[in-house]
């Protein structure tokens, strides 16, 4: 199944033509460039996509491999895999649940679409591309009849407060609206809801290794009482 949506996004007052579609092999160089621009140092360069990972994405779970083109230029991408998620054992690392981005653990029977990555080139930020990608992935969740979309959101704003507050207090301040985080606030604005703060999730200096696990539940799927 491949995905394609044509729409206009707004650069200020100007509508700009965009396409959200399944990415493919011909896009790999552009996708790696998006990663390089989106995750500058101190983010570890070895966590940027390589071609082997991208090949796995487009062959194992193409439904979870989406990109956005703006006026013909690749501007953003988002990638997922299917997993079986047990809310009673919610703790995991990014490496474990995404197979370090290689998704060889993609489970075609998994009820949860887990987000490996979302990134928008800095020059294309705040056009709504990240949110459009997230909404498109919600459509994939509905189309495939899955229970939820889930992912660990970085909290890169935390390093500015890490000397004076715990990560728990930081996310509480974000939830109270006293602080804004570049990723967690973005995810909240996309309709994701917090599940659990996870320490040691990713080698990510700015977030001090923390991530907030956040979900979106398929409104058409009826979860049992324990959320499975
Ligand atoms: C996080 C990221 C994907 C957001 O993409 P974007 O296209 O700029 O975001 P959008 O324009 O779609 O914004 C959607 C909403 O989030 C809000 N938002 C976006 N960036 C924000 C920020 N830095 N701080 C607070 N809110 C923010 C917007 O105001 C908007 O709110 P609205 O819909 O209520 O108007 C992008 O900044 C990025 O690629 N960051 C680096 C990579 C990364 O850390 N990815 C997350 C991995 S877990």
């Amino acid at each position: 199944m491949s995905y394609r949506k044509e729409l206009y996004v707004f650069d200020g007052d100007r509508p700009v033509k965009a396409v959200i579609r399944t990415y493919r092999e011909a896009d790999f160089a552009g996708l790696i460039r998006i990663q390089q621009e989106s995750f500058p140092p101190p983010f570890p360069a070895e966590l940027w996509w390589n071609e082997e990972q991208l090949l796995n994405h487009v062959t194992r779970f193409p439904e979870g491999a989406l990109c956005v083109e703006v006026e013909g230029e690749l501007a953003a991408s988002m990638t997922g895999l299917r997993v079986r998620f047990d809310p009673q054992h919610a703790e995991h690392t990014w490496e474990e649940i995404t197979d370090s981005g290689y998704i060889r653990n993609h489970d075609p029977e998994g009820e949860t679409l887990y987000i490996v990555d979302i990134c928008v080139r800095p020059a294309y930020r705040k056009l709504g591309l990240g949110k459009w990608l997230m909404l498109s992935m919600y459509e994939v969740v509905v189309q495939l009849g899955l229970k939820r979309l889930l992912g660990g959101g970085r909290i890169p704003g935390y390093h500015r407060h890490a000397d004076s507050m715990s990560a728990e207090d930081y996310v509480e301040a974000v939830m109270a609206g006293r602080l804004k985080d570049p990723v967690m606030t973005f995810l909240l604005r996309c309709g994701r809801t917090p599940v659990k703060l996870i320490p040691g999730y990713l080698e990510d200096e700015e977030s001090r290794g923390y991530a907030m696990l956040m979900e979106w539940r398929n409104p058409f799927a009826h979860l049992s009482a324990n959320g499975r």
Side-chain angles (χ1 to χ4, degrees), residues 12 28 31 37 50 52 80 90 137 168 180 187 195:
F28 286 1
L31 293 166
E37 289 183 17
N50 60 46
E52 187 185 344
M137 208 60 100
E168 287 77 6
K180 280 186 188 165
L187 292 173
V195 175

Side-chain angles (χ1 to χ4, degrees), residues 88-135:
Q88 308 304 319
H89 301 95
E91 289 215 1
H92 52 262
T93 66
W94 181 85
E95 278 89 353
E96 282 161 5
I97 202 149
T98 71
D99 180 30
S100 298
Y102 287 90
I103 74 163
R104 287 164 298 208
N105 57 333
H106 166 68
D107 180 348
E109 301 301 316
E111 80 299 310
T112 295
L113 196 159
Y114 195 92
I115 300 308
V116 184
D117 172 75
I118 176 170
C119 57
V120 177
R121 282 169 65 185
Y124 293 88
R125 301 250 167 103
K126 308 281 168 66
L127 295 176
L129 301 187
K131 192 168 183 173
W132 274 115
L133 271 173
M134 194 68 66
L135 300 181

